[in-house]
Amino acid sequence: MRSTVRNILLSLLVGGLFLWLAIRNVPFDLLFGYMQGISYGWIIPYSVVALLSHFLRAERWRLLIRHENKPPARASLFAGVMFGYLVNYAVPRLGEISRCVYVAKKEDLSGTNLVGTVILERVIDMLIMLILIAFVGLVLISDPEVLSMLLGEETRARLQSLLHLRYLMAGLVALPALLLLGYVFVLLIRKNETASPMVNKVLNQLRSGGALFMDGLFAIRHLRQWPYFTGLTILIWAGYVIMAYIPFVAFNLHEDYGLGLEAALVIMTISSVGVALPSPGGIGTYHWFVRQGLLVLYGVPAANALAYAFVTHAVMMGVVVVTTPVILVWNKGLKRKNTNRSANL
């Protein structure tokens, strides 16, 4: 309980700090005036793309979940993903656990195993994000001074050190070694014979939950539909790029500042860094990173850039808050209907 309260307070502190950094020195009359002057018809296609991206994420998650009889229902996985996003707006990272608990209850699966698959999914997305950051930082934004203005000198220095060739090579060597050690650990705790009764007792305790968790974490070794999995991953991230581009048109940034899909990729990548930080639903961190990206890289005035950040974040939050209860009720009714049908057979 204390750790949860501490995490909430920390996330509020981080979000509040970045929100203050984002709004300072920005005239509120210009900010709200600009927000009121745009057309909001783009919200419909934006919401469709957002929901489709979330559904594709649920579908990709389904490929990682092992099952004995039948695969988990897509409706339950989709509802679980949306429920997780909703919880994340209150307590960062708790949504990942919440969606596993929800799906485990609905589909009679191991929650511990599902947590392992979610961690695997996050590792995959983190690797993709690092690749995108490297591409944006080294190819699209090659000026160190611009990177310093955008991310801060300390963050830029750390990022460049992480992208140094020797560190990348060390990572390529260490990752397979860690995976091998984890796999050996799974095999070890599955064995019934040990030399020491004490060791056997410890391993039996680990076996109850540890093996399920590690099975989920290493679910990638059972994946057979690699082309489908890769295609879903590409479509998910492409959806995020489109979600960054659609508001460009609404704010007329595509004409006034020439912002196209390349700029949308850059802003999406920069904003993903903000969303990854421990703030409630990216509040504050998303706004500051988006503002800095539009201001520093493309010369968009701070008020306009911040208006873009506020509106897009509010619409994304609105999509989750409005549609998630509907999806949860729909899935509950669907499960009840399927249960009654099975009982009548």
Side-chain angles (χ1 to χ4, degrees):
M1 183 65 179
R2 289 183 178 180
S3 61
T4 302
V5 174
R6 185 170 60 249
N7 290 336
I8 293 175
L9 293 177
L10 176 62
S11 66
L12 291 174
L13 180 63
V14 171
L17 174 62
F18 275 92
L19 188 59
W20 174 77
L21 291 173
I23 65 176
R24 67 173 182 167
N25 302 325
V26 176
F28 284 93
D29 55 341
L30 290 178
L31 175 64
F32 291 114
Y34 189 63
M35 290 170 61
Q36 293 172 359
I38 68 171
S39 171
Y40 285 91
W42 59 275
I43 292 179
I44 295 177
Y46 181 96
S47 301
V48 171
V49 174
L51 289 172
L52 179 59
S53 296
H54 298 332
F55 179 79
L56 293 177
R57 178 171 291 278
E59 176 67 7
R60 188 184 67 170
W61 186 26
R62 187 179 69 90
L63 299 179
L64 297 176
I65 300 174
R66 297 186 67 189
H67 50 84
E68 298 297 334
N69 299 317
K70 62 177 183 178
R74 289 181 171 90
S76 294
L77 295 177
F78 182 41
V81 168
M82 296 301 297
F83 180 62
Y85 282 130
L86 183 63
V87 173
N88 274 338
Y89 280 111
V91 185
R93 306 299 173 260
L94 185 60
E96 313 304 339
I97 304 297
S98 300
R99 68 153 150 160
C100 293
V101 173
Y102 175 87
V103 173
K105 182 178 179 181
K106 291 293 182 181
E107 297 296 318
D108 193 24
L109 296 170
S110 166
T112 305
N113 182 267
L114 290 178
V115 171
T117 61
V118 169
I119 293 177
L120 171 61
E121 186 186 33
R122 286 302 179 217
V123 169
I124 293 171
D125 283 332
M126 184 63 67
L127 291 174
I128 294 173
M129 190 176 75
L130 289 175
I131 293 172
L132 289 174
I133 291 174
F135 176 75
V136 169
L138 300 179
V139 178
L140 300 182
I141 312 171
S142 56
D143 191 341
E145 293 185 4
V146 173
L147 282 174
S148 297
M149 293 174 61
L150 181 63
L151 302 175
E153 178 60 31
E154 184 178 353
T155 304
R156 181 198 65 81
R158 289 182 178 180
L159 178 61
Q160 286 193 330
S161 65
L162 287 174
L163 297 175
H164 196 279
L165 180 60
R166 61 183 177 183
Y167 291 109
L168 290 176
M169 294 299 295
L172 290 175
V173 173
L175 183 59
L178 290 174
L179 292 175
L180 180 60
L181 287 175
Y183 186 68
V184 170
F185 175 75
V186 172
L187 295 178
L188 177 63
I189 62 178
R190 279 178 168 176
K191 288 184 177 180
N192 293 320
E193 298 180 1
T194 59
S196 168
M198 181 178 297
V199 173
N200 188 50
K201 181 179 179 180
V202 173
L203 291 180
N204 283 334
Q205 293 175 346
L206 288 173
R207 190 176 295 117
S208 61
L212 289 172
F213 174 78
M214 295 301 294
D215 272 345
L217 185 58
F218 287 90
I220 198 77
R221 72 185 192 276
H222 300 295
L223 187 61
R224 296 292 180 266
Q225 298 173 285
W226 274 104
Y228 187 37
F229 184 89
T230 304
L232 288 172
T233 302
I234 293 173
L235 289 175
I236 290 169
W237 285 88
Y240 296 158
V241 175
I242 295 173
M243 288 166 61
Y245 176 76
I246 290 176
F248 284 173
V249 179
F251 283 82
N252 209 39
L253 299 179
H254 66 307
E255 292 185 357
D256 294 342
Y257 301 96
L259 303 190
L261 287 175
E262 180 181 299
L265 172 63
V266 173
I267 296 303
M268 183 277 296
T269 303
I270 294 172
S271 67
S272 66
V273 177
V275 173
L277 294 177
S279 66
I283 296 175
T285 54
Y286 172 87
H287 299 80
W288 187 81
F289 276 91
V290 169
R291 173 199 144 159
Q292 287 299 100
L294 290 173
L295 174 64
V296 173
L297 298 178
Y298 303 107
V300 179
N304 299 21
L306 191 57
Y308 171 95
F310 268 114
V311 170
T312 53
H313 187 273
V315 171
M316 186 65 259
M317 181 184 291
V319 170
V320 173
V321 171
V322 172
T323 62
T324 298
V326 176
I327 294 171
L328 291 174
V329 172
W330 166 70
N331 184 52
K332 184 177 181 180
L334 192 63
K335 293 295 291 184
R336 184 183 296 115
K337 181 179 179 180
N338 291 337
T339 301
N340 294 337
R341 181 182 300 172
S342 299
N344 294 329
L345 291 179

